[in-house]
């Protein structure tokens, strides 16, 4: 359909949400604004939908959410005799509204809905799917994106995000749904009366927190250490559950950043509510001057990721990377479980393949099997599910991604900042009783295993032209593979799209035994690495750099050179 005709159709028929009508009227005659909203439909993939909130096929709104939900309903009714679903939502603009509208569509399609009474962390949805044995799950969130974004993630019956095959089939159903004629819906109160929508009570959250607390390695250590914590939920969903779990394990001194305590999808003091960046800690760091805590915690809006800053001997606070926290947590769990006699003989840990290789070295020390999987926590969730089916759930130690996502335990099948916050604080308390900060502990790991400098560079490509540019960059890299990066020779190329690993030293090829993904990984001399990966949810390409040296200065200089080489590729 011609874009102007599509715009006019929406102008006439998009009446369900008055905000959409006002926006469409405002852009009348502005071809560039119209094009941006209608040049494509939001893509539905394994991460569901994600986009800017607003009017049009390329926006998150009532119609795109309900179209996706109708397609999901058709998929579920085709595969399950009596399908059920759990729905959660975060603090973002329109998240609660979208969750209720989705529930109405599902109910109209005779699908029983379990709906959280209030906003909850994403891992709570994964927990609810398994508790109620639902066929699927939906969470309304855009994770750590700026306020103008929202998103719609779909989960399968195992409690992790849909597989590629499930998402593709659901997308085929979605494409058949007309925004204005094919969406079924019903009155919300009527659906509740008929038992098609049921609110989940507080008991579900209490059970979730009970399961989280079982992951403690040293119960009571936090009270003994008198740990002092500043916490910010960044105006998201973590406020209640994180504070409850910290209280549950005996931390009595938790100071919450007041400006970021309560839910607010506008994120007024933190336009980028991402615990990976220092700006997210700005308010907490101001409080730290007076309180002098041992550790600062920040969870993202849907509380599936957590970042930390720790006090160094100088009194300054150092932000720890996701790779560093993942490595420390793995070392803590393995060393303490071995010490306590609770480490399984067949222990297994896992990370995304773009995360630090330091974790593999740590696992090897403790004879722990280690797995590298594609980026996407669903692959870690799938591994846990397979272990569980083999009666090996207790063998799972932890999984993590460099983007600040961690999971210990099998209560969820997604990254969980509630359990991660608890274990990070317990770890900090344990080392505090030994006279060490987490910064000291990280230094000891570098001294033992070598310095791993892991950096990530993101390159943004907005709009229709940006999508084309991203495609061209990946195509060029495949057609003309680089022989070196800043003087470091490429020794191996792993193309996860073709599933081919090529050793450039001897010319041999092997098959990559992982699902196909549009990723190129280059192994360089001295085990340095550059991995190029387009984001699945944002208009970005990311370059993951691994630089290994005997000390920080050596590794950092290598990382700078490799980053410069990646910058040139993205021009």
């Amino acid at each position: 359909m011609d874009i102007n005709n599509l715009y006019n159709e929406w102008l006439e028929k998009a009446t369900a949400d008055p905000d959409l009508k006002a926006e469409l009227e405002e852009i009348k005659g502005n071809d560039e604004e119209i094009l941006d909203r209608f040049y494509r439909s939001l893509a539905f993939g394994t991460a569901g939908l994600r986009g800017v909130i607003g009017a049009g096929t390329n926006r998150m709104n009532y119609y795109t959410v309900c179209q996706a939900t109708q397609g999901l309903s058709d998929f579920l009714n085709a595969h399950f005799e009596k399908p059920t679903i759990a729905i959660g939502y975060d603090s973002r603009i329109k998240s609660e509204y979208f969750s209720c509208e989705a529930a109405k569509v599902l109910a109209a399609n005779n699908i029983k809905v379990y709906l959280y009474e209030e906003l909850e962390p994403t891992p709570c949805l994964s927990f609810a799917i398994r508790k109620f044995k639902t066929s699927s799950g939906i969470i309304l969130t855009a994770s750590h994106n700026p306020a103008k974004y929202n998103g719609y993630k779909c989960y399968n019956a195992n409690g992790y995000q849909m597989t590629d095959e499930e998402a593709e089939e659901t997308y085929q159903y979605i494409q058949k749904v007309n925004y204005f004629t094919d969406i079924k819906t019903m009155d919300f109160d009527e659906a509740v009366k008929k038992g098609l929508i049921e609110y989940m009570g507080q008991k579900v959250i209490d059970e979730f927190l009970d399961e989280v607390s079982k992951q403690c390695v040293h119960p009571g250590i936090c009270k003994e250490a008198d740990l002092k914590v500043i916490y910010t939920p960044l105006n998201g969903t973590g406020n209640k559950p994180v504070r409850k779990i910290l209280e549950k394990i005996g931390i009595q001194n938790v100071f919450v950043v007041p400006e970021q305590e309560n839910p607010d999808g506008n994120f007024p003091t933190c336009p980028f509510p991402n615990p990976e960046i220092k700006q997210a800690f700005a308010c907490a760091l101001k409080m730290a001057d007076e309180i002098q805590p041992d550790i600062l915690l920040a969870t993202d809006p849907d509380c599936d990721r957590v970042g930390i800053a720790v006090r160094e001997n100088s009194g300054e606070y150092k932000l720890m990377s996701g790779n560093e926290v993942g490595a420390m947590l793995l070392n803590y769990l393995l060393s303490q479980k071995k010490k306590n006699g609770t480490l399984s003989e067949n222990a297994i840990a896992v990370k995304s393949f773009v995360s630090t290789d330091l974790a593999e070295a740590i696992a090897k020390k403790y004879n722990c099997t280690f797995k590298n999987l594609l980026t996407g926590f669903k692959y870690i969730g799938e591994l846990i599910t397979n272990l569980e089916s083999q009666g090996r759930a207790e063998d799972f130690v932890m999984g993590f991604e460099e983007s600040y996502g961690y999971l210990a335990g099998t209560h969820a099948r997604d990254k969980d900042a509630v359990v991660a916050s608890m274990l990070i604080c317990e770890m900090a308390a344990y080392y505090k009783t030994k006279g060490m900060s987490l910064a000291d502990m990280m230094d000891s790991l570098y001294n033992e295993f070598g310095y791993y400098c892991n950096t990530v560079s993101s390159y943004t490509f907005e709009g229709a032209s940006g999508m084309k540019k991203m495609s061209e960059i990946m195509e060029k890299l495949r057609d003309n593979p680089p022989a070196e990066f800043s003087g470091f020779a490429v020794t191996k190329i792993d193309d996860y799209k073709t599933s081919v690993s090529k050793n450039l030293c001897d010319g041999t090829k092997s098959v990559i035994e992982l699902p196909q993904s549009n990723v190129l990984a280059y192994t360089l001399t001295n085990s340095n690495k550059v991995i190029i990966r387009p984001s699945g949810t944002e208009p970005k390409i990311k370059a993951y750099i691994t630089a290994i040296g005997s000390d920080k200065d050596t590794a950092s200089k290598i990382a700078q050179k490799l980053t410069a080489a990646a910058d040139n590729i993205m021009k």
Side-chain angles (χ1 to χ4, degrees), residues 240-403:
K240 290 184 179 181
V242 170
R243 292 169 76 171
K244 284 181 180 177
I245 200 65
L246 296 186
E247 180 183 5
K248 195 177 180 76
I249 64 170
I251 301 178
Q252 299 171 327
N253 297 310
V254 178
F255 302 86
V256 180
V257 176
E259 307 98 311
Q260 298 169 342
E261 178 178 7
N262 296 316
D264 188 342
N266 291 299
F267 310 117
T269 60
C270 187
F272 296 95
N274 184 349
E276 294 182 60
I277 61 177
K278 187 173 183 178
Q279 192 269 342
F281 285 88
C283 294
L285 286 167
K286 288 180 182 177
M287 287 178 64
D289 290 338
E290 179 182 348
I291 294 171
Q292 292 293 298
D294 298 294
I295 189 170
L296 283 69
L297 292 176
T299 54
D300 67 343
D302 68 324
C303 196
D304 62 352
R305 304 189 312 138
V306 57
I308 68 170
V310 300
R311 189 167 62 192
E312 298 185 282
N313 294 331
S314 65
E316 296 296 313
Y317 286 86
K318 175 185 178 182
L319 269 64
M320 307 295 287
S321 73
N323 279 314
E324 289 178 320
V325 174
M328 281 196 296
L329 273 176
L330 180 61
N331 182 76
Y332 174 71
L333 291 173
L334 289 174
S335 63
Q336 298 310 305
K337 283 175 179 284
K338 184 175 183 178
K339 184 178 179 181
N340 294 345
T342 58
L343 182 64
S344 167
E345 291 184 2
N346 300 304
I348 183 169
V350 61
K351 69 176 179 67
S352 62
F353 70 112
V354 298
S355 301
T356 183
D357 292 337
L358 175 57
E360 292 187 65
I362 292 169
K364 185 177 181 180
K365 175 182 176 180
Y366 294 97
N367 297 315
C368 174
T369 300
F370 202 89
K371 296 282 187 182
N372 281 288
L373 300 177
L374 292 179
T375 298
F377 226 86
K378 63 178 178 289
Y379 298 112
I380 297 176
E382 189 175 35
L383 180 141
I384 298 171
T385 300
N386 290 337
L387 287 174
E388 191 175 58
S389 69
Q390 300 166 26
R392 296 184 54 200
E394 294 303 313
D395 291 342
F396 177 71
V397 178
M398 71 167 285
F400 78 95
E401 293 184 330
E402 52 77 35
S403 53

Side-chain angles (χ1 to χ4, degrees), residues 46 160-166 350-353 371-383 386 478 494-501 511-520 533:
T46 55
Y160 49 82
Q161 288 182 40
M162 279 185 163
T163 64
D164 296 344
E165 295 78 14
E166 291 166 331
V350 61
K351 69 176 179 67
S352 62
F353 70 112
K371 296 282 187 182
N372 281 288
L373 300 177
L374 292 179
T375 298
F377 226 86
K378 63 178 178 289
Y379 298 112
I380 297 176
E382 189 175 35
L383 180 141
N386 290 337
R478 287 192 169 90
D494 294 327
D495 189 337
Y496 290 84
K497 187 174 183 179
T498 62
S499 299
V500 174
S501 175
V511 176
I512 299 172
E513 301 290 348
L514 289 173
Q516 292 183 335
S517 182
N518 187 18
V519 179
L520 288 164
R533 171 183 168 265

Side-chain angles (χ1 to χ4, degrees), residues 1-230:
M1 181 182 286
D2 177 83
I3 286 177
N4 283 320
N5 288 338
L6 194 57
Y7 163 75
N8 288 326
E9 182 184 26
W10 276 65
L11 187 62
E12 177 188 351
K13 298 179 180 178
T15 58
D17 183 347
D19 291 346
L20 304 183
K21 182 76 171 178
E23 181 180 339
L24 291 167
E25 289 284 2
E26 186 179 336
I27 64 170
K28 186 177 288 187
N30 189 327
D31 291 341
E32 186 176 345
E33 292 290 346
I34 292 171
L35 175 66
D36 188 46
R37 286 164 176 77
F38 291 97
Y39 80 90
R40 66 166 189 165
S41 295
L42 279 182
F44 183 93
T46 55
L49 304 171
R50 188 176 296 187
V52 174
I53 303 164
T57 58
N58 188 34
R59 292 289 188 271
M60 283 289 295
N61 55 62
Y62 169 87
Y63 293 98
T64 52
V65 167
C66 289
Q67 183 200 40
T69 308
Q70 182 61 54
L72 176 63
S73 299
D74 295 338
F75 168 80
L76 293 175
N77 278 320
H79 286 273
F80 299 89
E81 186 176 345
K82 291 183 178 179
T84 57
I85 195 166
I87 300 179
Y89 61 94
D90 69 1
S91 63
R92 287 187 173 271
I93 296 166
K94 293 187 181 289
S95 276
E96 183 177 9
Y97 166 68
F98 289 152
S99 71
C100 291
E101 295 303 322
K104 288 160 62 176
V105 172
L106 289 155
N109 285 274
N110 203 35
I111 297 172
K112 172 68 178 283
V113 178
Y114 294 93
L115 186 65
Y116 270 112
E117 290 181 319
E118 62 179 2
L119 72 174
E120 298 292 352
T122 288
C124 292
L125 174 73
S126 180
F127 178 81
I129 290 169
R130 292 170 47 73
K131 173 179 170 56
F132 293 104
K133 296 180 171 61
T134 64
S135 316
S136 183
I138 299 169
I139 184 83
L140 279 302
T141 177
S143 188
H144 56 281
N145 287 82
K148 66 180 181 179
Y149 285 88
N150 209 327
Y152 176 108
K153 291 183 184 178
C154 284
Y155 288 67
N156 64 20
N158 292 316
Y160 49 82
Q161 288 182 40
M162 279 185 163
T163 64
D164 296 344
E165 295 78 14
E166 291 166 331
E168 177 58 31
E169 187 177 347
T170 301
Y171 181 54
Q172 296 304 319
Y173 280 106
I174 292 170
Q175 287 187 303
K176 298 175 184 177
V177 178
N178 182 282
Y179 293 105
F180 304 113
T181 60
D182 295 339
I183 296 169
K184 299 177 185 176
T185 189
M186 68 184 297
D187 181 75
F188 188 91
D189 292 336
E190 181 186 354
V192 172
K193 287 180 182 178
K194 290 185 175 181
L196 287 167
I197 296 177
E198 179 182 325
Y199 279 110
M200 292 181 269
Q202 180 60 37
K203 183 181 177 183
V204 178
I205 300 301
D206 293 339
E207 290 176 2
F208 169 81
L209 294 175
D210 287 343
E211 290 299 313
V212 167
S213 65
K214 290 178 183 178
Q215 298 309 309
C216 282
V217 183
H218 286 296
I221 196 74
C222 293
K223 189 171 184 178
E224 177 188 338
D226 192 28
L227 197 73
K228 191 181 292 186
V229 180
I230 288 180

